[in-house]
Each structure stands twice: as C-alpha cells, then as structure tokens.
Amino acid sequence: MFFEMSNVTKSFGGLVANKDISVEIAEGEIVGLIGPNGAGKSTMFKTVTGFHIPDSGSISFGGKDITKYEPNKICQVGISCTFQKSQLFSALTLEESVLVGAYCRHKRKSQALPLAHRMIEFVGLGGKEEVKISKLNMFERKKAELAAALATEPKLLLLDELFAGLVPTEVELMLELVKKINEEFGTALFIVEHVLRVIMGICTKVYVLEYGQLIAVGTPEEVTSSEVVIKAYLGDDDFYAATDIKS
Amino acid sequence: MRSDNLLRRERLLHPLTAVSLALVILAAFVPIFGDRLMMNIAIMAMIYIILGHSWNLLTGLAGMFSITHALFFGLGVYGMSISVAKFHLPIIAGLLVGLLINIVMSAIVGMIGSKLSGLYFVMAQVGLSQTIYTLSIQLFPLTGGVTGLSMPREYLMDKSTLYWIALILAILTTLAFAFIRKSRMGTMFVALKENPDLSLSLGSNVGKWRIMATVMSASMASLAGSFYALFMMSNNPEVFSMVISLKIIIVVIVGGIGSVWGPIVGSSLVVMDELIRGIMPTTMAPFSVIIYALVLIIMAIRHPEGLISIGRSIGLKLEGKSMKKVSISK
C-alpha cells in the first residue's frame, strides 16, 4: 500500500486520543477525515507527520516504516501538511516562506527559487513574491502555506482544516485549487474538514472519527447516510438527521 | 501598481547604501585626521560591529537568545594570546586555535540550544560561561590567571595597521551577514525563529540549523576576539565579563535587531561611551554602564525596532509624499 496506518494508538496520560486506527490511502487518491470536535483528528495528523510518536501500531509510506521518523524526515520521504492554525513565517516574504519548503529537496538557491516561483504562481499569488506574510490576508496566507507545502514536492499532502474560516466564494476557489493539485501533480490528499461541501465534492473515500475511534469508512454518500455517523454528529434525534448533514 | 510600489522601496535602499559608502569613506580618513584616542575609539567601534553581527546572526536571525556572547569573544582572545605568548605559534595559528576552540564550544552551546529553549537555554549559557571564566583564572600556568598573559613585543603593531585590519574585518563580517541573510541558511534561520514546528514539517532540520547558527556566530565572535588580543597585546578574564555581553546586546538592539544595519548604527553607542569615558574622571568610568542601561530603556520604550526603524519611517513618509505628488500631477 502507498500509505498505511495500522492499529495506531496514541494516548496522553489517561486520555486515549486515537485508538486502534487503521487507514489506507492509494497513490493519487483523495481521502477525507471527518468527526466532531475533539474526536482526535488533529492528533491523528500529528502522529502521521511525526510530531507525536504512537504508543503502538505502525505507519508505513511507500514501503518504508516511518512510525518513528522525525517531522523533517517525514517531509523528506514525501509527506507534507498544512497546519490548522498556522501563522506561517510572518517576518519572511512570501518568496522566502515558499523557499523554506523548496529547500527541502533542493539545496541550491538557483534550483529552489524557480520551484518556489512556480508554486507561488500555481496557487495564484504571482506578483506578491516580495510581500511580507504579515501583510497578506487570511485567504492569501492559506494559499501561501499551501504553496510552501507543495514546494517540498510531496506525494501525500495532509490538509488540516484548510477551508476553515473562508467565505463560501473562497471555499469554491480553494476547492478548485486543491483539485488542481491532485490532477497536475498526482498528489494524494488526506483532508480533515468540517465543511462537508469539500468532503462531498472531492473525496473518494471518507473516514469518520469519534472519541478517538474510527466508526465508519466509505464513499461520501455512504458515510453521510450512515446511522452511526449521523448519531455521532447530531445525537439520537432522528428529526435533524439526513437533512442537515448533507447541506 | 504593486510592482511600482516595490520598485520605489528598492530605490529607498539607495540612500542607505549611499550612507554606508559615506561611512566607509569617512572611516578611511580616520588614520589621517585622527589621533591615537580617535583611532582607539574607532577600533573599538569596529570590534563591536563584528560582535554585533555575530550576535545578530544567532539571536536576530535564528532567535536563540545569546546572553553570554562574550564567551565566544573571550575564547577567541585566549586562543590567540595563549598560542602566541605561551607556545610561540604564528598569528594565523592563534586565529585558527581560537576558531577551533570556539567551534567546539559553540557546538556544545548549539546542542544545548537545540534541546532547551528560552530561560533554560539562558541558564545553561550562564553556567557554561561562568565555568570558562573561572577556568581562565584558575588555570594560571596556561592562562596567566587574573593578570593574564602579555604578548611578545615583536607582535606590536602600529595603530593605523590595527585600524585597517579592524575596518577590513568589520566590512567582511557585514558582507558575510548580508550574504547569509539572503542565502538558504539565513532563510532557514529566520523560519525556525518564526515557526519551528512549521519549519520542521517543511523538512528543515531545525536542530542542525540551530547548531549551525551557533557555530557561525561563534566563529565571527572568535575573529573579533583574536583581533582584540593583538590590539590589547594581552588577555585577562574580563573579556568573558557580562559587561561585554550586555554591550553587544545593547549595540544590536539599539541599532535594530535582525537587520544588517543594526550593529553598524548601534556601534555609535560605543563611540559615545568611549568619548564620555575620556571626559569623565577615571573613578567614574565604570558608571558608563548606566548610560547603556538608560539608552536601552529609552529605546525599548520609544523605538523597540531600533534606530534604523526611525530612518525607515522617515523614508516611508518621504515615499508617501512623492507618491502623492505623482498622483496629483497625473
């Protein structure tokens, strides 16, 4: 398998944040991860990206066991991510910020710079190379972070609530961009999202997490009509079910 | 429009470049019009420019607060004086010995800095520097104890030679800092200061870069130290003192932290301090530290970004005016 988490458990003291999680992602696939607040989605992402080391279980990528890799090594094998609440590098310019990512694979500035420029162009921020990150707006900053992550030339990209805080028109634009990443670079995407429009729109497979455990997996349609998932999101009241979750 | 704006800002750098050229030319004339006192002051200012760049690299760029920076400076001094006075090695060997000791020491400090942060890093540094300070006094046969070692007379250079060396070193370190800031290393330094987690996840080996920053910075300070040994023709444990560390910090903070101009502008403080010391009776001289403290407090309140921020804001105002004119004429 291209990317595989098997039976990963992570706990903090007495709290089991992730229990027995198994996830599979194929090359170039777009996979979603949903779940109520506090379900352990971010913990799972941090475990994949090397910020947490799982208590048990293993993670493999491209045939390599990467369970105990440091975050920078994880990036070097081809997994990159965007953070939920990122400030990026506010003192750097856009160009320099994306360069940080580009330097992951290219040690020379003469090679890294064209790549950084290409990525800035790709996310639609061309012409703002010299602008400080602190002068960019929220939407631009998210695109900048995406550009930096793309500059590391990942084969799997993890997006942690990339769409949170965007207005509907921006969500649409970002969605186009994310689709374009998958089509043009063949990057597999693993998306944590609250905005169901995103999950429904592009994912081929969705995992649902509740209280640290996976409770469902399937196509977006299967998952959103699943009894367990509706219960997890809205409680037992049948009245609200099916209608709201799809909108 | 934006690119237009950018061009203007680029052009704004030109006055600064002009100022620096003027400074270099002015500095070139010191040996002609200046007396010994003036040359001494100028040399001290140059030494603090080098030390300022060194500190600015570690703290201003990489964000690792170096509170006992005189440790690296002092090791440079001792490397030179011990090699030359004790072991009769040539000057270049003294320089290399100082560098080597500093690389070892800074690798240790850097490793500590890649594990500890904030206050703990500061405490570890104070511990290390106190150890070295004590050793420099206690290892009498090697270091000459409290009185220090005297360099052999044949190494005595005349003031203007020393002055030229100091000027060249200051210019070289300034260029080195500017180059590093724009290079891969500089980008990685600032990135890890701004957001270590994101740097890590973008594949930057944060621990390695922290050690690298410390080693680069210590090497610069070592250079200043080795030169200082030749300038003073002796060593003494006071080169490790907190006063020197504080002066380095204040020079950069008052000038402008993180900027290549910071130490250059800030070194004017050293000039002022030396001039005041010259005027004051010798018993009062130690009180000059109070002036540093006052300047630092005032700057921290009024211009936390340093003296260069004043220059910048004036520049921006001028730019605003010229832009208004353009729009009216259109």
Side-chain angles (χ1 to χ4, degrees):
Chain A
M1 203 61 192
F2 175 68
F3 173 82
E4 193 170 7
M5 277 176 97
S6 32
N7 309 101
V8 169
T9 299
K10 174 73 196 171
S11 51
F12 301 99
L15 179 81
V16 184
N18 282 168
K19 196 179 174 194
D20 222 15
I21 306 269
S22 296
V23 168
E24 284 182 352
I25 300 173
E27 203 161 352
E29 196 180 13
I30 305 181
V31 176
L33 175 67
I34 57 173
N37 284 327
K41 302 186 296 288
S42 290
T43 304
M44 200 169 138
F45 262 35
K46 283 191 172 161
T47 312
V48 175
T49 47
F51 285 98
H52 295 325
I53 290 184
D55 302 333
S56 64
S58 67
I59 306 169
S60 74
F61 179 72
K64 266 186 235 155
D65 181 24
I66 58 163
T67 318
K68 292 203 165 68
Y69 275 25
E70 303 264 313
N72 57 312
K73 259 194 110 183
I74 298 263
C75 177
Q76 277 150 19
V77 298
I79 301 181
S80 191
C81 68
T82 63
F83 283 78
Q84 191 178 349
K85 289 192 187 98
S86 178
Q87 301 298 311
L88 216 56
F89 309 109
S90 49
L92 289 179
T93 63
L94 173 62
E95 181 184 280
E96 287 171 312
S97 299
V98 180
L99 262 176
V100 175
Y103 281 134
C104 175
R105 281 184 212 292
H106 305 279
K107 307 295 174 221
R108 286 160 164 269
K109 194 171 182 176
S110 55
Q111 291 167 328
L113 202 59
L115 174 64
H117 282 167
R118 245 191 352 265
M119 291 310 158
I120 292 170
E121 207 64 52
F122 181 83
V123 299
L125 290 177
K128 299 204 173 198
E129 285 87 353
E130 300 296 327
V131 181
K132 282 249 167 80
I133 293 295
S134 54
K135 298 265 187 292
L136 296 178
N137 66 35
M138 171 85 143
F139 186 41
E140 289 170 330
R141 238 180 256 203
K142 292 211 166 206
K143 287 199 283 189
E145 201 185 341
L146 209 50
L150 284 174
T152 67
E153 300 177 323
K155 291 184 215 108
L156 171 63
L157 182 59
L158 280 68
L159 306 173
D160 195 357
E161 301 203 9
L162 183 68
F163 297 83
L166 298 182
V167 300
T169 46
E170 290 171 343
V171 169
E172 291 305 318
L173 290 169
M174 192 61 107
L175 207 55
E176 286 306 311
L177 187 59
V178 170
K179 271 188 208 163
K180 213 169 93 184
I181 292 171
N182 181 255
E183 282 160 14
E184 233 165 85
F185 305 116
T187 316
L189 300 169
F190 193 21
I191 307 175
V192 163
E193 206 44 75
H194 274 306
V195 184
L196 276 169
R197 163 87 187 78
V198 174
I199 298 286
M200 299 297 285
I202 56 175
C203 294
T204 49
K205 183 159 81 175
V206 180
Y207 287 91
V208 188
L209 203 61
E210 194 201 9
Y211 296 121
Q213 278 175 294
L214 287 177
I215 54 167
V217 54
T219 63
E221 290 75 22
E222 281 166 11
V223 162
T224 45
S225 56
S226 149
E227 287 278 326
V228 249
V229 176
I230 293 164
K231 259 187 208 162
Y233 263 89
L234 302 164
D236 274 327
D237 199 334
D238 290 336
F239 182 75
Y240 293 104
T243 49
D244 273 27
I245 193 136
K246 274 186 184 166
S247 61
Chain B
M1 187 63 208
R2 191 172 284 277
S3 61
D4 219 56
N5 223 335
L6 278 173
L7 279 179
R8 281 225 176 79
R9 207 153 291 161
E10 290 287 327
R11 218 175 293 147
L12 255 184
L13 283 174
H14 287 255
L16 272 176
T17 323
V19 168
S20 68
L21 270 176
L23 275 177
V24 170
I25 293 166
L26 188 71
F29 281 108
V30 171
I32 297 168
F33 66 74
D35 52 4
R36 281 179 66 85
L37 176 72
M38 271 192 90
M39 285 218 262
N40 277 341
I41 293 175
I43 290 171
M44 282 314 288
M46 302 293 179
I47 288 175
Y48 274 98
I49 289 177
I50 304 169
L51 289 173
H53 285 310
S54 158
W55 188 83
N56 208 9
L57 187 77
L58 188 53
T59 310
L61 295 190
M64 299 165 72
F65 196 82
S66 172
I67 196 159
T68 57
H69 211 69
L71 171 63
F72 304 128
F73 172 68
L75 286 175
V77 175
Y78 272 72
M80 178 62 91
S81 63
I82 292 174
S83 309
V84 173
K86 268 274 150 174
F87 300 107
H88 312 292
L89 297 170
I91 286 178
I92 190 78
L95 192 74
L96 291 177
V97 168
L99 266 176
L100 201 69
I101 303 171
N102 256 310
I103 288 170
V104 173
M105 177 55 70
S106 58
I108 296 170
V109 173
M111 266 184 252
I112 295 171
S114 65
K115 302 275 178 237
L116 302 179
S117 61
L119 216 50
Y120 300 100
F121 180 47
V122 166
M123 276 157 61
Q125 288 178 68
V126 172
L128 258 178
S129 107
Q130 282 303 309
T131 312
I132 298 295
Y133 174 70
T134 312
L135 280 177
S136 73
I137 296 172
Q138 297 299 325
L139 292 176
F140 180 81
L142 188 67
T143 62
V146 184
T147 47
L149 298 166
S150 289
M151 301 272 272
R153 280 203 65 83
E154 66 256 36
Y155 290 104
L156 188 65
M157 283 185 258
D158 69 290
K159 277 277 141 41
S160 60
T161 315
L162 283 167
Y163 175 84
W164 288 114
I165 297 173
L167 182 65
I168 290 166
L169 286 179
I171 291 173
L172 282 181
T173 43
T174 304
L175 293 177
F177 182 93
F179 176 75
I180 289 172
R181 174 66 189 83
K182 287 286 157 209
S183 72
R184 171 166 182 249
M185 204 188 282
T187 308
M188 293 319 222
F189 286 169
V190 180
L192 78 87
K193 174 185 78 170
E194 291 284 317
N195 196 336
D197 279 354
L198 184 63
S199 301
L200 262 177
S201 86
L202 290 174
S204 155
N205 190 341
V206 168
K208 186 193 91 181
W209 288 115
R210 285 207 166 114
I211 295 172
M212 184 70 107
T214 324
V215 171
M216 296 296 287
S217 166
S219 304
M220 276 189 188
S222 181
L223 217 62
S226 297
F227 172 76
Y228 187 74
L230 292 171
F231 173 53
M232 298 303 282
M233 291 299 285
S234 70
N235 64 8
N236 75 68
E238 289 315 301
V239 291
F240 294 109
S241 77
M242 205 61 210
V243 175
I244 294 181
S245 297
L246 281 178
K247 274 193 193 175
I248 301 171
I249 296 172
I250 293 167
V251 160
V252 184
I253 290 183
V254 169
I257 191 166
S259 155
V260 67
W261 298 100
I264 299 170
V265 177
S267 69
S268 58
L269 255 184
V270 178
V271 176
M272 190 189 77
D273 173 59
E274 298 281 342
L275 284 176
I276 291 169
R277 267 170 199 256
I279 298 163
M280 279 204 290
T282 35
T283 45
M284 298 282 281
F287 290 98
S288 70
V289 180
I290 296 173
I291 295 163
Y292 274 95
L294 278 177
V295 171
L296 182 65
I297 292 166
I298 294 167
M299 287 301 294
I301 295 170
R302 303 291 301 178
H303 298 283
E305 283 175 34
L307 282 171
I308 55 158
S309 72
I310 303 174
R312 248 183 227 148
S313 64
I314 293 170
L316 283 177
K317 259 179 212 159
L318 289 176
E319 183 191 19
K321 265 184 197 157
S322 65
M323 273 174 74
K324 254 179 223 160
K325 264 182 204 158
V326 171
S327 60
I328 289 167
S329 65
K330 271 178 187 169

